[in-house]
């Protein structure tokens, strides 16, 4: 494996940009290739088989066509349902976002009441519950599915007054539950952070599961001796979407705050029955 090869990231949509933003800051010399499967999002309501198939299609494109050295599943739903499958099938390291977020949350909580907002798929999987209780069986987990938050971000409305009102009304139940820590269990949700902080209260610690994952990426690169010896300034990073590249580019440009034009490309979903795959 060439240690100068890029790191791949996959997500159901634009939410994983929150992970790549943190990774770009903390890993300035690495090159990243990101895929957002916006044509088939949201993953939350989809079956486990669908989520596994779509995540594998993105992974196979990155491994076979782009020769990535490490894969990050920058999506909580895909991590909950497909991480173990990809770790078994791929010959490169594969990292998810749930374990790092749960670890940070159990260290942060004082009253052992932790909230989780995520997609329906992640909530149903109870992946955060299992991970948190692995660390401390006394923790109370209050989970809430927020599919409308995902749609708000994907429609580029996360700065709007409509988004503020939506977040305020939906998080009232969690605020009443007296949690002191809240896991943003979907990588879309950090884009709503100002509204979430306002709605849940300043005394509640927010855990960005994607951001916590970056330390795991750093550790994996070091342990596997895969840290690049080249230098990138992230203008070499490439972004793919299966959906509308114009909308994707608008959101990515706003969130990543890059000075130069982002290299955004479209991937085609080639439907060949069981051999469905992605092509540039």
């Amino acid at each position: 494996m060439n240690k100068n090869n890029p790191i791949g990231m996959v997500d159901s949509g634009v939410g994983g940009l929150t992970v790549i933003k943190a990774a770009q800051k903390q890993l300035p010399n690495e090159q990243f290739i990101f895929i957002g499967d916006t044509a088939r999002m949201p993953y939350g309501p989809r079956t486990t088989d669908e989520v596994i198939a779509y995540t594998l299609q993105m992974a196979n494109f990155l491994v076979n066509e782009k020769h990535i050295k490490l894969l990050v599943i920058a999506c909580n739903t895909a991590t909950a349902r497909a991480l173990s499958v990809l770790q078994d099938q791929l010959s490169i390291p594969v990292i998810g976002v749930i374990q790092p977020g749960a670890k940070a949350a159990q260290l942060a909580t004082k009253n052992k009441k932790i909230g989780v907002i995520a997609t329906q798929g992640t909530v149903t999987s109870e992946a955060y519950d299992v991970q948190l209780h692995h660390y401390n069986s006394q923790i109370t987990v209050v989970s809430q599915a927020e599919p409308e938050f995902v749609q708000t971000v994907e429609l580029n409305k996360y700065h709007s007054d409509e988004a503020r009102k939506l977040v305020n009304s939906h998080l009232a139940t969690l605020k009443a539950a007296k949690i002191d820590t809240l896991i943003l269990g979907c990588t879309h949700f950090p884009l709503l952070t100002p509204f979430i902080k306002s709605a849940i209260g300043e005394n509640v610690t927010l855990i960005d599961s994607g951001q916590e994952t970056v330390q795991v990426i750093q550790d994996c690169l070091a342990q596997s001796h895969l840290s690049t010896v080249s230098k990138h300034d992230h203008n070499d990073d490439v972004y793919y979407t299966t959906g509308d590249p114009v909308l994707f580019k608008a959101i990515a440009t706003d969130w990543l705050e890059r000075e130069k034009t982002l290299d955004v490309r479209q991937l085609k979903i080639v439907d060949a029955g069981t051999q469905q795959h992605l092509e540039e």
Side-chain angles (χ1 to χ4, degrees):
M1 174 62 66
N2 187 335
K3 62 176 62 178
N4 295 326
N5 285 8
I7 296 170
M9 286 196 185
V10 297
D11 181 43
S12 62
V14 301
L17 293 170
T18 61
V19 186
I20 204 170
K21 183 177 184 178
Q24 285 172 335
K25 288 181 179 178
Q26 296 182 50
L27 296 166
N29 295 330
E30 299 289 346
Q31 181 186 10
F32 296 93
I33 301 179
F34 178 90
I35 301 178
D37 192 12
T38 50
R40 298 182 292 200
M41 65 77 56
Y43 278 14
R46 292 192 177 277
T47 66
T48 296
D49 286 347
E50 285 178 313
V51 173
I52 290 172
Y54 298 164
T55 309
L56 269 173
Q57 288 166 26
M58 292 188 286
N60 287 334
F61 173 81
L62 290 171
V63 170
N64 298 329
E65 303 298 328
K66 300 302 171 182
H67 311 294
I68 61 169
K69 62 184 177 183
L70 182 151
L71 178 68
V72 182
I73 305 179
C75 172
N76 284 265
T77 304
T79 296
R81 296 180 173 186
L83 176 62
S84 60
V85 175
L86 268 68
Q87 287 176 330
D88 287 343
Q89 294 195 19
L90 300 183
S91 59
I92 60 172
V94 184
I95 293 170
V97 290
I98 289 176
Q99 183 271 336
K103 183 178 181 181
Q106 63 88 23
L107 290 172
T109 187
K110 299 293 191 297
N111 69 2
K112 296 184 175 60
K113 292 183 180 179
I114 297 176
V116 178
I117 51 174
T119 66
Q120 187 61 60
T122 300
V123 170
T124 301
S125 76
E126 297 186 342
Y128 274 106
D129 303 59
V130 170
Q131 200 68 58
L132 287 165
H133 289 145
H134 169 75
Y135 290 119
N136 188 334
S137 62
Q138 302 304 309
I139 288 174
T140 298
V141 184
V142 185
S143 298
Q144 196 162 293
E146 294 294 351
E148 290 179 77
F149 288 11
V150 178
Q151 294 287 354
T152 298
V153 171
E154 289 287 341
L155 293 172
N156 201 17
K157 293 181 178 179
Y158 55 92
H159 292 305
S160 68
D161 191 54
E162 176 187 348
R164 180 186 62 79
K165 291 176 180 177
L166 177 72
V167 171
N168 272 340
S169 64
H170 281 226
L171 296 190
T173 304
L174 283 174
K175 188 173 183 180
K178 305 296 184 184
I179 62 170
D180 74 346
T181 305
L182 177 63
I183 297 175
L184 307 184
C186 174
T187 51
H188 288 72
F189 296 170
L191 280 83
L192 293 164
T193 293
F195 296 147
I196 293 173
K197 279 184 176 178
S198 176
I200 203 70
E202 291 295 328
N203 293 328
V204 175
T205 301
L206 299 187
I207 302 295
D208 180 343
S209 58
Q211 190 164 12
E212 297 296 333
T213 302
V214 178
Q215 183 60 54
V216 179
I217 298 171
Q218 290 178 304
D219 293 344
C220 181
L221 290 173
Q223 291 165 8
S224 304
H225 306 289
L226 287 174
S227 297
T228 184
V229 294
S230 298
K231 287 194 175 181
H232 300 280
D233 61 4
H234 297 307
N235 290 320
D236 298 323
D237 294 348
V238 181
Y239 307 84
Y240 288 96
T241 176
T242 56
D244 180 358
V246 175
L247 179 58
F248 184 94
K249 190 170 186 176
I251 296 173
T253 299
D254 174 59
W255 181 245
L256 297 178
E257 302 172 304
R258 306 292 305 168
E259 291 182 3
K260 294 193 177 181
T261 302
L262 299 181
D263 185 355
V264 177
R265 308 176 190 179
Q266 188 165 34
L267 279 179
K268 299 176 190 171
I269 302 169
V270 180
D271 194 352
T274 57
Q275 300 302 311
Q276 189 181 65
H277 62 281
L278 302 176
E279 288 183 2
E280 193 166 355

